[in-house]
Amino acid sequence: MEKSTCEVILQPIGKHIRIPVGTTLLDAARQAGVELVAICGGEGVCGTCRVCPVSGPVSPPSLTEQAELTPADLSAGMRLACETEVLGDVKVDIPPESFTTPQRLQVEGQEAPPELAPAVAALDVDAPPPSLDDLRSDLTRLREALPDPDIHTGLPVLATISETLRRNNWRVRLALRGDELVAILPPGEGLYGLAVDVGTTKLAAYLVNLENGDTVAKSGAMNPQIAYGEDVISRINHANQHANGAKTLQGRLVETLNGLVDELCAQAGVTPGQVVEAVIVGNTAMHHLFAGLPVKQLGESPYVAAVSDAMEIPSAELGLCLAPGAVIYLPPNVAGYVGADHVSMLLGADLQETAKTTIALDIGTNTEISLFHGRKHWSCSCASGPAFEGAHISDGMRAAPGAVERVRIDGEAVQVHTIGEQPAIGICGSGILDAVAGLVKAGLVDKRGALKGEHPRLVPDDKNSAFILVPAAQSGTGRDVHVTRQDVNEIQLAKGAIRAGLEILLVEAGIEAREIQQFIVAGAFGTYLDLDSAIAIGMFPELPRERFQQVGNAAGSGAKRLLLSNRLRQVATEIAQAVQYVELAKHPDFMKVYVKALGL
Amino acid sequence: MEKSTCEVILQPIGKHIRIPVGTTLLDAARQAGVELVAICGGEGVCGTCRVCPVSGPVSPPSLTEQAELTPADLSAGMRLACETEVLGDVKVDIPPESFTTPQRLQVEGQEAPPELAPAVAALDVDAPPPSLDDLRSDLTRLREALPDPDIHTGLPVLATISETLRRNNWRVRLALRGDELVAILPPGEGLYGLAVDVGTTKLAAYLVNLENGDTVAKSGAMNPQIAYGEDVISRINHANQHANGAKTLQGRLVETLNGLVDELCAQAGVTPGQVVEAVIVGNTAMHHLFAGLPVKQLGESPYVAAVSDAMEIPSAELGLCLAPGAVIYLPPNVAGYVGADHVSMLLGADLQETAKTTIALDIGTNTEISLFHGRKHWSCSCASGPAFEGAHISDGMRAAPGAVERVRIDGEAVQVHTIGEQPAIGICGSGILDAVAGLVKAGLVDKRGALKGEHPRLVPDDKNSAFILVPAAQSGTGRDVHVTRQDVNEIQLAKGAIRAGLEILLVEAGIEAREIQQFIVAGAFGTYLDLDSAIAIGMFPELPRERFQQVGNAAGSGAKRLLLSNRLRQVATEIAQAVQYVELAKHPDFMKVYVKALGL
């Protein structure tokens, strides 16, 4: 019977399930506790349970599917989950509309008051119409109606000039970026900017009024590249190993971003043509894949970027549908995996001029850490792995409905809280952190991570003992949701890497952990994590709690601030140039510090 | 029987033929005297007689065609001429490879010695490779190996940086356009430029060595847009009346240009990546359609351009496959239909600083004329029509093999010469000009253009008397090749428009024709035309013959000069700004002058 089961990975939530070969994808999802829209109850008649198998063998499209799906859907690989049988290990991408419950996509950043000096400004113009006595070109007549006629215009804007001038009776509003014409708009239309934090897993997008700095709409989405690899290394491998692999990753991302732009514009009642500037932040790999820069060398030692400078790219060149001359600003990357999103995070947390001794970090598959001390600034990148994203954890999943996000072990009582208060189907990052901290505090785990001691929920095993967080009877899957010794070890590796990076920065600065005056934790996981748990397992140093700040999506807030202020873009470049990047792999103390940091 | 015939227009040569409905396209071409490649003799087995019907009804693809042609060919509308039956009036595009004889595509311009100061220059660089001790980005390490690190680079160049540096062991040749990086090349590779004259009918392309100014390869092609309309107005109409019409016209042109680039590079043994700059000249409509600028307003009174300034466009933006950062320079347009090709023609004929009283013209469907006098410069555009391209002439055709290009009427003897010395199948521009001049000199045509008098070749008719140039027995079509009264009238309209424009410029300058010190005739027709004939019919004024210069494709020569000299680009802008554009339609003397100019 061993051979007749196989594993299904449900993306983007990262839930794994082992099921018999021949199970339909709809049943596999149900057994994993993931509810798909299936109005007809799996009878193959409603066409709503649409999913996209991205790798592994499945049954060929049935006649029902050929009837229910369009040829375009079929050729894009879309399937009906109720009709598709799993024939081996399979990875499936579930589009947002096929989930019954919305995903938790976004964490707001704390916002510093905006500094309002955007790159693009409006100018209202009346141009004289042409006649047989005045045959000057449209651009010439527009130009000569300006206070300063010396403007530059690219082809995408020029393609709109003649119709826009005529349709608005030669009275228009120009969006000008210095002397560069970004858009020719009907009179009176407001100017907006787009800020996006492109995470490896999630995208957070904001539409900002450039005149008053207000965020007028926000939305989130999963990064569609997740279907091609969960972490940056597997995406880089995909780009390198497939013809047009990089183009595909770029295209999928741009397509999703265009969808977000449409959604944000609809929310705010504006047109994409009014979006005259964008700031997009991401780690070095996301940055390079978005811009179409080469990534091969990013995947090979010594892992160098193609470009680290800040970039300004015409949106038309990347296919992002904004105002025809809109520019996308990408902040500078620092070095290695410390990318533009880290620079943006520091600005979002308003740290650019901090005089306090400060740690700032954003925990992810790679965790970037900055230390500010005595007007100096060090940073490093730790390979913390995807455990806090729920990957490599036996019952792990991303922060989605049904994920255990809080755990309290109080003697024999075990309390859990799930996202959306749904029956538990797995554990997300903050839940596994709490669980490990609870086990440590309860004395149920030794320094090396082995589970031991007496507890009704503890299931001993020579190799992989387990602790049951939610018994089968109460779970959403009909199986126990548990933490295993292997899971504890994964968390040890992750927190050890983070703590070691932090300690090495302190060594570089020549200070002790207790001298840290503020400790900034950014990002979604950083916002939901329980500080006591993080300290209990030794991921963070023991400091007075008031020195910690959980600032939410500071990278996104930084992107918004960069959208509104040209001066901050200069600051971003100064930060990237001033920071001393510490390469942990070659630091003489690293191994010693790391081994010490692994202990619980 | 009247109803059962229909007309076939064979493009790009412009030959018309009336044939019975149901005739195959191969037979229609044969009856028109146009030889198509058909290795099997029309048996439908060789697949060589490929043609593309672009409008009008033809039989559906036969089983033979479905077997011989690829699905891509069929969906692109390609057919076999031997299998396709004509069911009504039809226009057919014949690809170059389907002609048995090559087309005459190119006329060389006289060349002024080149001024060598191109926009792009080479710089050899050794960059330090990265290591764990030096994690700077590829761009940073390249930049810092330069004498001046402050360079700009667009995405298409950056996409090549990492691989090119590594493949060449960090020793590369940069192509720099001021501070803009155009290409990163293997060490030692030479830099080349592309110059193209985009005519409404023909393209002439040159590859130029930017270091010594040598033309290393040249080629020509028909403008593929001809399938969508013979003249600029019908192309503008196509762009306005079809969804994506303008995109199609642009795409077809770019595709043909990319083919020419490949061919030129193969001739010269270089790669398209070494082509670091381009200059493309054309009339205002060709210019706008190539650049994707709006053309609707060009087709409506008062016929203004969207843009008249010189433009620099990234080649990548237009899909022209040159060096990744190559820029395409388009010279300025003057006004109305006096476009960038006219400015380029003036530079090609080295007239930018002329102190002589000079007329310079390039005869086409629109004829642009410049008059230089006393350091002033006037220009106008005359609607001379397509008669000199062979259109609207009963036996007219373009300058292709079998076209009568020289005619001498000497008493009863009529001598003709055809292109390629093939049996006559029609008459091209220089032939019809000679024929009308010969008829005038022989006293066989009156002032209003009626053919009359006694001549064995004259066939009287109340409405449309005709003069036989080549009797049926000697022609390539089995029918007479003749000139009709209507043809004479067409030539009157054309030459009248040109002469009237010229006279109006003289009026503006306040001088007489005899004061013209040099008379420059550019372009293919201008090169082949017989000056005595042009003077005999009153198209050109009677001047000493040594004042005339037939300078060939001066627009193409000008494009090459603009490729090699940044200073001349400034001169081009000065010319466009200094010229006084004369709008003939509203000139008070125009009608009077025009009516007078019509007479023979």
Side-chain angles (χ1 to χ4, degrees), chain B residues 396-450:
Chain B
M397 64 180 288
R398 295 214 176 78
V404 172
E405 61 165 351
R406 283 277 168 271
V407 175
R408 182 174 299 270
I409 300 170
D410 199 1
E412 293 201 352
V414 178
Q415 286 179 291
V416 303
H417 183 264
T418 63
I419 296 176
E421 308 205 341
Q422 308 256 319
I425 60 173
I427 317 172
C428 70
S430 59
I432 190 83
L433 175 68
D434 275 7
V436 174
L439 291 169
V440 169
K441 287 193 245 179
L444 295 170
V445 60
D446 68 12
K447 272 198 187 264
R448 290 171 308 128

Side-chain angles (χ1 to χ4, degrees), chain B residues 20-284:
Chain B
V21 168
T23 307
T24 66
L25 284 170
L26 186 63
D27 283 338
R30 280 176 180 159
Q31 288 183 42
V34 175
E35 288 297 327
L36 298 188
V37 178
I39 294 170
C40 69
E43 298 295 323
V45 296
C46 72
T48 54
C49 60
R50 295 147 57 96
V51 297
C52 185
V54 289
S55 67
V58 294
S59 58
S62 65
L63 291 176
T64 302
E65 287 175 279
Q66 289 173 34
E68 290 287 335
L69 295 168
T70 65
D73 279 343
L74 284 165
S75 73
M78 199 59 82
R79 303 292 303 272
L80 295 183
C82 62
E83 291 281 318
T84 309
E85 290 175 6
V86 179
L87 307 178
D89 291 348
V90 162
K91 192 188 278 189
V92 183
D93 199 17
I94 306 173
E97 62 274 17
S98 296
F99 282 109
T100 52
T101 41
Q103 305 299 297
R104 179 200 279 181
L105 289 172
Q106 201 158 325
V107 180
E108 290 313 305
Q110 290 180 3
E111 309 246 334
E115 177 176 310
L116 265 176
V120 180
L123 178 67
D124 294 315
V125 178
D126 270 299
S131 69
L132 275 178
D133 292 314
D134 178 1
L135 296 170
R136 292 173 304 163
S137 72
D138 289 342
L139 177 60
T140 304
R141 63 188 62 251
L142 181 66
R143 203 195 278 283
E144 291 185 3
L146 296 177
D148 177 2
D150 197 13
I151 56 169
H152 294 101
T153 39
L155 279 184
V157 179
L158 290 173
T160 71
I161 186 172
S162 301
E163 195 185 342
T164 310
L165 284 170
R166 284 168 181 76
R167 199 172 349 107
N168 296 288
N169 286 318
W170 303 87
R171 163 169 291 193
V172 291
R173 167 164 284 189
L174 304 186
L176 281 164
R177 188 176 202 276
D179 62 357
E180 187 79 28
L181 187 57
V182 171
I184 309 172
L185 295 165
E189 288 206 340
L191 305 188
Y192 294 83
L194 173 74
V196 187
D197 173 27
V198 175
T200 310
T201 306
K202 294 173 186 175
L203 315 176
Y206 309 88
L207 191 66
V208 178
N209 180 322
L210 292 183
E211 278 154 274
N212 58 22
D214 289 351
T215 300
V216 296
K218 50 197 169 193
S219 185
M222 299 306 293
N223 186 331
Q225 296 173 343
I226 216 164
Y228 305 89
E230 292 196 21
D231 53 41
V232 294
I233 291 296
S234 53
R235 304 243 180 113
I236 290 171
N237 286 343
H238 181 88
N240 294 337
Q241 289 161 8
H242 295 78
N244 285 318
K247 277 260 171 256
T248 304
L249 293 176
Q250 185 186 37
R252 289 295 306 272
L253 177 57
V254 168
E255 188 186 321
T256 301
L257 290 174
N258 277 329
L260 282 172
V261 170
D262 286 344
E263 185 188 332
L264 294 171
C265 285
Q267 275 181 39
V270 305
T271 66
Q274 291 174 263
V275 183
V276 294
E277 180 97 353
V279 174
I280 293 186
V281 306
N283 62 46
T284 313

Side-chain angles (χ1 to χ4, degrees), chain A residues 130-141 143 155-156 158-159 161-162 166 291-294 297 301-309 311 313 317-318 335-336 581 583 586, chain B residues 130-141 143 155-156 158-159 161-162 166 291-294 297 301-309 311 313 317-318 335-336 581 583 586:
Chain A
S131 69
L132 274 179
D133 292 314
D134 177 1
L135 296 170
R136 292 174 303 164
S137 72
D138 289 341
L139 177 60
T140 303
R141 66 188 61 252
R143 204 194 277 284
L155 280 184
L158 290 173
I161 187 172
S162 301
R166 285 167 180 77
L293 293 171
Q297 82 295 339
S301 178
Y303 311 101
V304 299
V307 179
S308 53
D309 299 357
M311 296 179 77
I313 304 172
E317 210 171 325
L318 294 180
Y581 176 75
E583 175 55 51
K586 61 183 271 292
Chain B
S131 69
L132 275 178
D133 292 314
D134 178 1
L135 296 170
R136 292 173 304 163
S137 72
D138 289 342
L139 177 60
T140 304
R141 63 188 62 251
R143 203 195 278 283
L155 279 184
L158 290 173
I161 186 172
S162 301
R166 284 168 181 76
L293 293 171
Q297 81 295 340
S301 178
Y303 311 102
V304 299
V307 179
S308 53
D309 299 357
M311 298 180 75
I313 304 172
E317 210 170 324
L318 294 180
Y581 176 75
E583 176 55 52
K586 59 182 272 291

